[in-house]
Amino acid sequence: MTDVPEYLLERSRQRRIALGVLEDDGSGDAGAAAATAPAAAGAPAAAPGQAEMIAAAREAAKLEIEPAPPPDAPWVVAAQTRHRIPIWVLPVLFCLPLWAFVYVKLTEPPPEPITAITEGASTYSVRCASCHGGDGSGSEGGAVGRPLWNGEVLLTFPSLDNSFIEWISVGSEGIGLGQAYGDPNRPGGAHIAGGTDNAANMPAFGEVLSEHQLYSVARYVREVIGGEEISDEIAAERDAEWEHRGGGSDSGEGGGGH
């Protein structure tokens, strides 16, 4: 683009001032204005209607002063002036859920250790409670199995030996229907497999319970439900036997099978 010389621009401005299109604000060259004034004075008079056109052009040439914009609302000012979140905060926010998960896991108390009694309680609730009742009341409490509470199981099986484990493992049919099981000298007479005293047959659990589960549920029935009292030495011996049968290594089966 070619630059227009300043004197030509000034001459154009003085000409518009002479025609009345532009008002003189005194910013032009005085000498140029004086030189142009005689020419303006000798200019022909405006034709009829030209004065109105000049007035309209003059009004259009005036620069409109735009009003000042209204001030921003307080919340807009606050949003514009608030501190932005630093970029390094983003990975920290991303890692917060992971940190919270790890924190909760580290503050949780460790699970209770599995013992023969706790394993036996779990197995009993899954496999035995439906027939013998949760408290071992059996048919005396409205269930269908023989009662085990109040020492009843201790009368049938005076000791924790293989006969009790076998009974839980093979059940009534394994012993033989009509055959006596447990202590033959039991007060009131020996119990008969498949007898007619309103008690249901004992199912076999040897296929669904491991050796240590059979042993632990027998301990739970005797020591907790039956109320058997044993010394610390006997309890330690039974714990060792439970571990010898596999207890404590894969005891998280919750009463299930192999």
Side-chain angles (χ1 to χ4, degrees), residues 213-256:
Q213 287 175 323
L214 291 170
Y215 189 80
S216 63
V217 74
R219 285 193 60 183
Y220 177 77
V221 169
R222 296 179 60 87
E223 298 174 25
V224 178
I225 295 179
E228 182 183 26
E229 297 181 359
I230 58 175
S231 63
D232 293 341
E233 290 76 9
I234 297 298
E237 291 177 3
R238 291 182 177 181
D239 288 339
E241 177 64 20
W242 173 67
E243 293 178 358
H244 176 73
R245 293 172 180 256
S249 57
D250 61 342
S251 300
E253 300 165 358

Side-chain angles (χ1 to χ4, degrees), residues 15 18-19 35-46:
R15 181 61 179 169
L19 293 175
T36 309

Side-chain angles (χ1 to χ4, degrees), residues 5-247:
E6 291 291 332
Y7 73 91
L8 292 179
L9 293 175
E10 179 62 19
R11 184 181 298 173
S12 174
R13 192 180 72 84
Q14 294 297 334
R15 181 61 179 169
R16 286 184 291 162
I17 293 174
L19 293 175
V21 175
L22 183 65
E23 292 182 358
D24 188 5
D25 56 358
S27 61
D29 187 2
T36 309
Q50 189 176 6
E52 289 78 3
M53 296 176 59
I54 293 174
R58 181 182 299 170
E59 292 295 329
K62 291 181 178 180
L63 297 177
E64 296 182 359
I65 301 176
E66 296 184 358
D72 293 332
W75 55 85
V76 176
V77 176
Q80 293 174 345
T81 57
R82 70 181 179 182
H83 295 288
R84 299 296 187 267
I85 299 178
I87 192 65
W88 60 266
V89 175
L90 297 180
V92 175
L93 294 176
F94 178 78
C95 295
L96 277 179
L98 178 62
W99 174 84
F101 176 79
V102 174
Y103 177 80
V104 170
K105 288 299 181 182
L106 291 177
T107 55
E108 285 181 350
E112 293 293 332
I114 297 176
T115 64
I117 299 300
T118 59
E119 181 186 78
S122 176
T123 302
Y124 182 89
S125 65
V126 174
R127 301 292 181 181
C128 312
S130 58
C131 292
H132 296 282
D135 57 357
S137 59
S139 57
E140 294 180 1
V144 297
R146 290 189 181 277
L148 304 174
W149 64 355
N150 297 329
E152 285 293 323
V153 67
L154 304 180
L155 295 177
T156 306
F157 297 99
S159 62
L160 179 58
D161 53 16
N162 289 333
S163 64
F164 189 22
I165 304 298
E166 181 186 16
W167 169 247
I168 300 174
S169 179
V170 303
S172 298
E173 294 186 2
I175 294 295
L177 298 181
Q179 299 296 318
Y181 64 90
D183 184 5
N185 300 317
R186 186 187 191 281
H191 280 172
I192 304 299
T196 58
D197 54 354
N198 298 324
N201 289 341
M202 174 70 173
F205 290 103
E207 296 297 325
V208 295
L209 298 180
S210 62
E211 288 189 19
H212 62 80
Q213 287 175 323
L214 291 170
Y215 189 80
S216 63
V217 74
R219 285 193 60 183
Y220 177 77
V221 169
R222 296 179 60 87
E223 298 174 25
V224 178
I225 295 179
E228 182 183 26
E229 297 181 359
I230 58 175
S231 63
D232 293 341
E233 290 76 9
I234 297 298
E237 291 177 3
R238 291 182 177 181
D239 288 339
E241 177 64 20
W242 173 67
E243 293 178 358
H244 176 73
R245 293 172 180 256

